[in-house]
Amino acid sequence: MVKINHEQSFLIEDILFSFALKAEAADVFERCNTIMTGIGKVNAAYELSKVLQHKKPSLIVNLGSAGSNFFKKGDIVCCTKFIQRDMDVRGLGYDLYETPFSGLPTVFEYGLKMDGLQEGICGTGDSFEMGHSEVLYNVVDMEAYALALIAMKEDIPFLCLKYISDGADDNAAEDWLVQVHKAALAYGKLFKLGLDQ
């Protein structure tokens, strides 16, 4: 049983763990239900939608690495708010990051809070951000917005945890390569995997 907070716990076998890359899961999650979506919003949306055609999990957990100039490297941050950071339709009179005709606010909120973790706002986009200066979001990734949106539309509880691997700055690429393998170990410890699983 995986305890998320005081009110919510889920059987490990009923959880779908979503990663962009195998490196973020390593072999820590090999006995769990997992999908490797690949990098980016389109890949994430396609792979999750494909899985949901066959089986609806009790909980979708998105785990992965992310950049931040707000949180520290090695922090695990729970994201419950999401921004599509490469959506820009200001030329038609919309706010930056607002998705036209979606009915969603610019900052889209969906997901569970996990006890004991800091909360963040995730800016998802199809670019590896190395000069982060935006104040509306403090975590940078490439898949979470799409996954959260699908989970909401399918009425499936969603938990998004991001391991901060880099500062979303000039050193981001080098830092990510060094830190990404540590994410799986940190998540395994958090979910107590390998300890009576």
Side-chain angles (χ1 to χ4, degrees):
M1 190 68 79
V2 174
K3 183 179 178 183
I4 306 301
N5 53 49
H6 291 304
E7 294 83 34
Q8 293 160 305
S9 296
F10 298 85
L11 293 171
I12 192 93
E13 56 267 25
D14 295 335
I15 299 172
L16 176 64
F17 292 95
S18 170
F19 298 88
L21 300 170
K22 177 69 176 158
E24 295 170 321
D27 58 357
V28 175
F29 288 83
E30 64 185 8
R31 295 192 305 181
C32 299
N33 299 317
T34 60
I35 58 168
M36 304 301 158
T37 66
I39 294 173
K41 292 181 294 182
V42 173
N43 286 329
Y46 173 75
E47 294 297 338
L48 180 58
S49 296
K50 194 166 69 169
V51 168
L52 295 183
Q53 288 176 7
H54 303 290
K55 186 176 181 188
K56 196 170 184 176
S58 296
L59 172 69
I60 297 168
V61 178
N62 173 226
L63 302 175
S65 56
S68 179
N69 62 7
F70 182 82
F71 298 103
K72 298 190 309 279
K73 279 186 224 172
D75 283 352
I76 295 178
V77 179
C78 182
C79 297
T80 58
K81 296 178 181 176
F82 305 91
I83 291 174
Q84 193 166 198
R85 64 179 165 85
D86 49 10
M87 181 63 70
D88 186 352
V89 194
R90 288 177 289 179
L92 294 178
Y94 292 91
D95 290 336
L96 180 61
Y97 311 130
E98 182 181 1
T99 302
F101 310 110
S102 68
L104 293 173
T106 301
V107 180
F108 158 59
E109 187 168 358
Y110 187 74
L112 304 178
K113 296 177 183 176
M114 189 165 192
D115 285 346
L117 295 181
Q118 302 174 84
E119 289 181 49
I121 301 172
C122 186
T124 299
D126 288 324
S127 62
F128 188 80
E129 195 163 320
M130 297 178 66
H132 179 71
S133 60
E134 177 58 66
V135 296
L136 282 181
Y137 54 91
N138 51 24
V139 174
V140 179
D141 94 322
M142 299 177 72
E143 297 83 27
Y145 182 98
L147 299 170
L149 185 64
I150 290 169
M152 182 198 72
K153 289 185 177 225
E154 294 295 323
D155 197 27
I156 301 171
F158 181 70
L159 176 68
C160 179
L161 304 181
K162 295 296 175 180
Y163 178 88
I164 305 304
S165 59
D166 61 82
D169 56 16
D170 292 346
N171 298 316
E174 182 180 328
D175 288 347
W176 183 83
L177 290 169
V178 172
Q179 294 288 323
V180 69
H181 71 282
K182 296 179 181 178
L185 298 176
Y187 289 133
K189 185 176 179 183
L190 182 68
F191 288 104
K192 299 178 173 55
L193 296 180
L195 308 171
D196 301 316
Q197 186 187 23

